[in-house]
Amino acid sequence: MPPDPIADGATRYVLDRLHLETMLSGRLGYGRALLHRRPARTILRDPALALPAATAWDDAARACLARPGPARDTPLVVLDKHGGCLGLAPAGPLVEHLSRRYESLALTDALTGLGNRRRLGEAAAQLLAGGRQVALVLIDLDRFKEINDSLGHSRGDELLCRVAAELARLPGPAGVFRLGGDEFVALLADPGDDERLGAAGDELLAAIRGPFEVAGVPITVEASAGVARTGSGGSTLGDLLAGADTAMYAAKRHRVNLEHWRPELGAAQSTDLRLQTELRAGIDSGQLVLHYQPLVEAGTGAIHSLEALVRWRHPRLGLLLPAAFLPAAERSDMITALTDRVLATAIEQAARWHRAGWTVPVAVNLPAPVLAEDRIVEVTAKLLAEHELPAGALIVEATESAVM
């Protein structure tokens, strides 16, 4: 969009040359804007006081403030494209505009134009102070990191803006806000019963499903949503955000689109958080072990390959199968470190077997977040070279979640 001009033929600040000559000798009615007496010809010769008519309001206000102290109250001369004088732009309104602009920026997400967390707080406080019932629907885009890694962050930002635009079009919410990253929240006033609230959440998810074409690639957006309402979910915005966040992560764990907050979800999330913390320590301290399952030819019974299956030798819970810890790892950045450790261990073992004369390939499963990273090719090649293992001795497979 073109910038708003500081003065043009439609504004009350435009004065013809005659008015410029006469008005500069007195007050122009803008407070301290024209309490000086300078001939028009001296102002017109001063480039520091003149700006083109197409100058943006923000730039004009900053130009006013950048001048030495006494000159800050002096109006700016507005020039046409040929350098002629169109009129005056008083300093006061320009600075007031900049103040309002910064106040707006403090409440707005810079990328999408939606309200930010602070604006959400103000809107929710106003509804709660009026005795209204409110609910939050917190939406998190699934596997957004893969989109960023595959298409680049600028394309990821483009998708976020498209999602924000779709959410902003919906008439139901009292407001839609971006909390940061790929998280959005809709504020609902007087949402009705759980059935109506669930339907409102489903409508939000359906609105952002797409597909959206980004960089020539049609992208269908999958998302998880958590819902919390006053009463069952708490009485403050902090309570509601925490409850909606807990419910959203429960939706991811249960592989459903939407979950309502309920007390038992809090206990499950605490357990999940503890498990994630312990898993991070377990990866670093070597608690992951691999079991190798032979895959045999049905006709001959000959071993075709060995599938590396990860187990966690937990110091408190014993030997854990992947289902107990892989979902938590995939919801965090730990999945990369875990996969690196599994890949390194499998290649090291395969190299030992290869040197001993047993050349059966070893198969390693890679999850979707890791497959989306370019680095995995370099990491694998480096490990193969380090252990002098032929590439044919390693089979890389996609996990079931990656295919789904």
Side-chain angles (χ1 to χ4, degrees):
M1 294 177 62
D4 294 329
I6 60 174
D8 60 25
T11 71
R12 62 194 178 100
Y13 304 135
V14 174
L15 305 173
D16 58 26
R17 188 175 295 273
L18 175 63
H19 282 104
L20 176 64
E21 292 282 353
T22 58
M23 293 297 185
L24 276 175
S25 61
R27 298 171 183 263
L28 201 58
Y30 298 111
R32 297 172 58 200
L34 282 177
L35 292 180
H36 57 88
R37 293 174 179 270
R38 286 184 60 184
R41 58 181 178 275
T42 64
I43 289 183
L44 292 176
R45 285 201 300 266
D46 186 350
L49 297 176
L51 288 174
T55 303
W57 277 86
D58 290 359
D59 294 336
R62 281 190 285 267
C64 281
L65 294 175
R67 297 179 297 181
R72 288 178 185 168
D73 293 331
T74 304
L76 291 173
V77 176
V78 183
L79 304 177
D80 62 24
K81 62 182 179 180
H82 303 296
C85 176
L86 285 175
L88 297 177
L94 288 173
V95 176
E96 289 173 10
H97 160 80
L98 194 61
S99 175
R100 290 193 300 270
R101 169 75 169 150
Y102 284 155
E103 183 178 358
S104 174
L105 287 175
L107 300 172
T108 305
D109 174 60
L111 175 65
T112 64
L114 295 178
N116 59 15
R117 186 183 292 264
R118 180 179 169 187
R119 182 70 187 93
L120 167 64
E122 291 187 357
Q126 185 176 7
L127 290 173
L128 291 171
R132 307 281 295 276
Q133 294 294 310
V134 303
L136 297 183
V137 181
L138 193 152
I139 298 171
D140 183 89
L141 307 190
D142 295 336
R143 299 178 177 174
F144 179 71
K145 183 178 183 298
E146 297 171 28
I147 296 172
N148 266 343
D149 292 340
S150 301
L151 301 180
H153 287 273
S154 62
R155 300 302 187 184
D157 287 349
E158 180 183 341
L159 179 62
L160 290 175
C161 290
R162 300 279 293 277
V163 167
E166 293 301 323
L167 290 173
R169 286 194 186 99
L170 294 177
V176 179
F177 311 85
R178 181 180 177 225
L179 297 184
D182 59 350
E183 282 193 342
F184 299 85
V185 63
L187 174 66
L188 306 179
D190 302 322
D193 57 22
D194 284 349
E195 184 176 353
R196 283 184 57 193
L197 183 52
D202 289 337
E203 183 181 8
L204 289 165
L205 293 175
I208 64 173
R209 189 162 292 128
F212 303 100
E213 186 168 316
V214 177
V217 179
I219 297 177
T220 299
V221 175
E222 297 178 2
S224 303
V227 177
R229 62 187 305 151
T230 45
S232 61
S235 57
T236 69
L237 177 62
D239 293 337
L240 294 177
L241 277 173
D245 189 66
T246 298
M248 183 269 292
Y249 279 108
K252 288 185 180 292
R253 282 198 306 273
H254 302 154
R255 299 186 183 276
V256 296
N257 291 333
L258 183 144
E259 278 278 11
H260 293 260
W261 185 89
R262 51 189 188 278
E264 57 267 29
L265 292 182
Q269 187 178 39
S270 297
T271 301
D272 192 45
L273 181 60
R274 178 177 180 179
L275 194 67
Q276 287 188 28
T277 303
E278 293 175 341
L279 178 57
R280 194 179 298 276
I283 293 172
D284 295 336
S285 62
Q287 294 174 8
L288 297 182
V289 296
L290 295 185
H291 292 182
Y292 297 90
Q293 176 176 281
L295 300 178
V296 301
E297 298 282 356
T300 65
I303 297 178
H304 173 269
S305 61
L306 297 169
E307 184 177 9
L309 304 174
V310 64
R311 303 289 186 264
W312 180 11
R313 190 178 286 120
H314 194 285
R316 178 171 52 88
L317 302 175
L319 194 67
L320 298 181
L321 297 177
F325 60 90
L326 277 186
E330 289 186 345
R331 290 193 297 272
S332 71
D333 59 354
M334 279 189 298
I335 191 61
T336 299
L338 187 152
T339 303
D340 286 353
R341 180 58 59 91
V342 168
L343 193 59
T345 303
I347 289 177
E348 182 182 1
Q349 180 61 64
R352 283 199 294 265
W353 284 329
H354 200 78
R355 288 193 296 270
W358 198 37
T359 58
V360 175
V362 172
V364 177
N365 289 305
L366 298 184
V370 174
L371 285 172
E373 298 175 351
D374 293 337
R375 63 176 290 278
I376 192 60
V377 177
E378 181 181 348
V379 169
T380 304
K382 183 178 179 181
L383 287 170
L384 289 172
E386 180 182 328
H387 293 281
E388 299 179 347
L389 184 68
L394 177 69
I395 299 174
V396 174
E397 299 178 339
T399 61
E400 290 85 350
S401 62
V403 175
M404 293 172 63

